[in-house]
Amino acid sequence: RRPDFTFKCYGSDAARCPGGLPGECAEGRDVSSVPCARCATGMAPDSRGVCVPCGGGSMAIFVICILAVVVSMIGFYGFIDTSTPVATSKSVLLVGIAGSQLIWLFQQLSVLSSISLDWPPPFDSILSFVSIFAFNLDYLSIPCVAGQIDPMSAYFARAFMVLVFVVVMAIIHCASVVLFHKGDFRDRMPSLVGSVGAIFSGFFIAIVSSMLAPFMCRSHPNGLSTTHDYNDVICFGGDRDGRHAAMVGGAIGAMLIPLSFLAGVVWAVRKLP
């Protein structure tokens, strides 16, 4: 509550800091978080900057989204498993190329949202929406489903989310081989490799940007800085906030995943005749 030790509220929800006496936050905000970044227990952020009680449909939306992702992965694996490059029609290839370019566009727009600029409406709302393609799951109201999650835990879940996709794809592959290919795992291995490779190549920007989130910091009038995606984590805070050091260590370890993918691609290209 020092008037000369202030944090600036960034982002499209800057109304979470209504002004007034030091330490005041918008309705439903946790006043112990800086700068009014988190909602109180049982609350979810609203577009007006306040936090509102969790609705009963939060769990249903979350489950529907999870099922939609799993069904999409099953359909995608089925396409990879049954198609052959020679027999694939030009129209199917065109749709695939257009879809991949659209996903890349959304990911590039999500990177723009990490730039410390006050984007005018409605572009700020568009950037907020496409941030989901950078594995930012705020739209799913996670606190209403799993309770309040520490920013460090949220970061590690986001940074290593790609491994969850790989595991799910491996389970789909095993089920497909057992049910439709009489357990011939060796002969069907290209389907798994192609599916996992497509995930990494299609979401490479999102994977890297989510892992590098601890290095994206914004300065405040008090001389400190906080991370862009986790507003109450102080960058290089030392004794003030030890979470950032753990997040930086996790980022260094997580970057081995996309670097391994790039190394595998280079090895495969060099092996081609």
Side-chain angles (χ1 to χ4, degrees):
R1 294 182 179 274
R2 288 171 46 189
D4 61 337
F5 195 77
T6 57
F7 288 88
K8 179 179 179 180
C9 287
Y10 290 96
S12 58
D13 61 343
R16 66 184 186 275
C17 302
L21 296 176
E24 289 190 0
C25 297
E27 181 182 355
R29 291 280 174 177
D30 183 1
V31 296
S32 65
S33 62
V34 292
C36 302
R38 295 197 304 267
C39 291
T41 303
M43 311 283 278
D46 186 78
S47 59
R48 299 167 297 169
V50 301
C51 292
V52 297
C54 294
S58 298
M59 178 61 75
I61 295 175
F62 180 79
V63 172
I64 291 173
C65 291
I66 295 298
L67 291 177
V69 171
V70 173
V71 171
S72 299
M73 293 181 68
I74 293 174
F76 180 73
Y77 175 84
F79 174 77
I80 296 293
D81 187 48
T82 57
S83 63
T84 56
V86 177
T88 303
S89 64
K90 292 182 180 180
S91 58
V92 173
L93 288 175
L94 181 61
V95 171
I97 293 173
S100 63
Q101 292 298 312
L102 184 62
I103 293 175
W104 271 74
L105 173 62
F106 287 158
Q107 292 178 79
Q108 290 170 350
L109 287 175
S110 68
V111 172
L112 287 179
S113 65
S114 64
I115 301 176
S116 297
L117 291 175
D118 293 328
W119 300 102
F123 192 62
D124 59 341
S125 300
I126 296 175
L127 292 181
S128 179
F129 171 74
V130 298
S131 65
I132 196 171
F133 289 91
F135 301 153
N136 188 342
L137 305 182
D138 291 343
Y139 275 92
L140 298 184
S141 300
I142 299 297
C144 292
V145 178
Q148 293 296 332
I149 302 176
D150 182 80
M152 185 172 67
S153 301
Y155 165 71
F156 280 109
R158 178 184 174 189
F160 292 96
M161 187 180 299
V162 63
L163 296 181
V164 176
F165 291 139
V166 172
V167 171
V168 173
M169 191 62 75
I171 294 174
I172 295 172
H173 170 73
C174 292
S176 174
V177 173
V178 171
L179 294 176
F180 304 111
H181 302 288
K182 300 179 180 180
D184 191 358
F185 286 94
R186 183 174 181 177
D187 185 58
R188 308 310 303 179
M189 183 57 66
S191 297
L192 177 62
V193 174
S195 301
V196 173
I199 291 176
F200 273 96
S201 60
F203 292 93
F204 192 80
I205 295 177
I207 293 170
V208 174
S209 63
S210 62
M211 291 178 177
L212 295 179
F215 298 99
M216 303 176 187
C217 301
R218 297 188 284 201
S219 59
H220 294 271
N222 56 20
L224 299 177
S225 58
T226 56
T227 56
H228 180 278
D229 292 341
Y230 309 95
N231 291 318
D232 59 333
V233 175
I234 299 176
C235 294
F236 307 102
D239 296 336
R240 290 181 180 272
D241 194 342
R243 295 175 298 178
H244 187 256
M247 292 169 68
V248 169
I252 295 174
M255 282 302 297
L256 295 175
I257 298 174
L259 290 177
S260 299
F261 170 72
L262 284 178
V265 171
V266 172
W267 176 83
V269 171
R270 289 179 60 89
K271 282 289 186 178
L272 287 175

